[in-house]
């Protein structure tokens, strides 16, 4: 009986191995026959190097699978252009430098297309709104109300330098939104600044925390508060073909409803999607 079982097991092993070979061969053939939507250079031929923070609902990476808004966008973009995604998870503050130094082709997530960033990395058309908000227990949206108090923020936000210029609060800069949010939730930090979509998402996961978020009011020094934050995809500079490819992908996915579906899948409100006319696509 053992011999029969072993023979059957061996037969099954050969069958599985043969199937795996056929799947691999089929995948390779499909990749070889793939016709990219756009043509552009990447750091490594055939690979799209992605740098992003683990920051839901914008980007997640687990067991080799990308999730979140930008994660799903990058997955579609890589597939449409016959590229293998290769992900490096970094703190938000390290994303721009990673792209700037040629370690990643593209970066996310939730990054605003500021003139300062445009000097060192490529910028795309904006995709969705994510205004700055104060998070705490009954927070104020007026920055001046935090004069002389401790105010938390996260490295990588474009308003950090402006907050330093304002200089009236004890600014505590965290390496990650997770750490800052944990301190606000526990009461170790009275209030923090965060991108609105990220803040509302985190608060929704802890409905009994007593935390709320309020949009930052316009301010004469912190100019970032005067316009609603917009996000884009940062990418390697002086690579106009990549810029055009990303803009084409954003416009296509906006038009065919893919971006709206991604918002729904990542539980983000549909009204944060920037209209094509406002995004500069018309």
């Amino acid at each position: 009986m053992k011999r029969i079982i072993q023979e059957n097991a061996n037969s099954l092993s050969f069958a599985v191995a043969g199937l795996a070979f056929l799947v691999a061969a089929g995948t390779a053939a499909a990749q070889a026959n793939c016709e990219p939507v756009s043509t552009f250079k990447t750091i490594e031929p055939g690979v799209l190097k992605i740098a992003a923070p683990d920051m839901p609902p914008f980007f997640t990476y687990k067991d080799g699978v990308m999730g979140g808004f930008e994660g799903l966008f990058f997955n579609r973009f890589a597939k449409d252009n016959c590229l293998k995604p290769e992900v490096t998870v970094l703190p938000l503050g390290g994303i721009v430098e990673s792209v700037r130094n040629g370690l990643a082709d593209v970066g996310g997530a939730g990054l605003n297309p500021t003139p300062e960033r445009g000097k060192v990395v490529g910028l795309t058309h904006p995709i969705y709104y994510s205004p700055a908000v104060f998070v705490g227990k009954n927070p104020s949206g007026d920055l001046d109300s935090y004069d002389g108090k401790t105010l938390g923020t996260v490295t990588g936000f474009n308003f950090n330098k402006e907050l330093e210029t304002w200089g009236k609060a004890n600014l505590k800069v965290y390496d990650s939104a997770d750490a800052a949010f944990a301190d606000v939730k526990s009461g170790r930090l009275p209030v923090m600044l965060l991108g609105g979509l990220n803040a509302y998402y985190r608060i929704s996961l802890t409905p009994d925390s007593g935390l709320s978020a309020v949009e930052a009011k316009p301010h004469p020094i912190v100019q970032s508060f005067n316009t609603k934050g917009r996000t884009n995809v940062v990418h390697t500079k002086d690579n106009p073909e990549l810029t055009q490819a990303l803009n084409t992908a954003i416009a296509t996915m906006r038009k065919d409803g893919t971006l709206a579906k991604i918002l729904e899948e990542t539980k983000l409100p549909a009204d944060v999607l920037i209209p094509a006319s406002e995004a500069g696509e018309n």
Side-chain angles (χ1 to χ4, degrees), residues 54-60 135 177-178 181-182 185 194 196-213 265-268:
D54 186 7
M55 192 173 74
F58 305 117
F59 189 91
T60 60
V135 179
D178 286 338
F181 193 84
K185 184 179 175 183
L194 195 60
L197 298 184
N198 188 235
Y200 295 127
Y201 172 81
R202 289 174 182 275
I203 291 171
S204 72
L205 298 179
T206 56
D208 299 326
S209 65
L211 298 179
S212 60
E265 186 171 338
T266 52
K267 303 187 185 306
L268 290 171

Side-chain angles (χ1 to χ4, degrees), residues 3 6 18 66 188:
R3 183 177 179 183
Q6 185 61 47
M66 288 186 287
R188 291 188 294 269

